[in-house]
Amino acid sequence: MSEPVFFDHIEVHVGDIVGYGKFLERLFRGGRFKQISDSGTSMFITPDGVNLEIKLRERDAPSTEGGFRLPCIRVAGAKEHLESLRLEISREVANPEGAVFFFRDAEGIEWHAKNYVHRDRYVNW
């Protein structure tokens, strides 16, 4: 039996984190907004439970570095799962809950996969 895969969040890179959080609250007529790191990175959770991680975009970054990016999934055995799909892992980082693996899909879109299935402290508050 294979492990379930869960959608975790999508990142959005913007010039004003707090302003964008307020915009999302108005757009979705509610939701929750909370700073989750010392760098100002925040999480917005829509009323129906979609998680949007809001990060600061570098002012000089090209437009392709802004907007919605880096969808994230959660799956036990993430590395093995990605390798079974013949997806190349471009980088690995650690968060307090465990390993996170970055990869690109067939269209060149960068994703990341958390190596666990539970909703962590970043999206479960």
Side-chain angles (χ1 to χ4, degrees):
M1 183 161 103
S2 61
E3 296 291 331
V5 177
F6 299 96
F7 176 77
D8 193 76
H9 70 275
I10 296 176
E11 289 185 18
V12 59
H13 294 223
V14 299
D16 175 5
I17 293 173
V18 174
Y20 202 78
K22 290 177 181 177
F23 161 74
L24 290 172
E25 287 175 334
R26 291 190 314 271
L27 180 67
F28 287 97
R29 294 184 179 146
R32 296 181 290 151
F33 178 78
K34 178 180 179 181
Q35 183 175 325
I36 61 171
S37 79
D38 292 338
S39 66
T41 297
S42 299
M43 187 69 69
F44 176 79
I45 302 175
T46 66
D48 59 334
V50 175
N51 305 305
L52 301 173
E53 183 178 4
I54 307 169
K55 290 188 169 187
L56 187 62
R57 175 180 41 85
E58 296 292 326
R59 295 266 184 225
D60 298 339
S63 61
T64 56
E65 296 294 317
F68 285 89
R69 35 192 313 228
L70 284 165
C72 179
I73 58 174
R74 301 184 315 269
V75 57
K79 184 175 185 176
E80 295 80 9
H81 177 62
L82 299 174
E83 289 172 343
S84 76
L85 298 173
R86 298 190 176 156
L87 294 167
E88 182 180 335
I89 295 169
S90 60
R91 133 178 98 109
E92 178 182 344
V93 299
N95 76 20
E97 307 282 342
V100 180
F101 301 97
F102 290 77
F103 63 97
R104 291 190 183 274
D105 66 17
E107 295 292 324
I109 297 167
E110 189 174 27
W111 290 64
H112 54 298
K114 294 177 176 177
N115 193 41
Y116 47 87
V117 296
H118 65 276
R119 292 178 53 145
D120 62 30
R121 64 186 178 133
Y122 300 113
V123 298
N124 191 28
W125 40 266

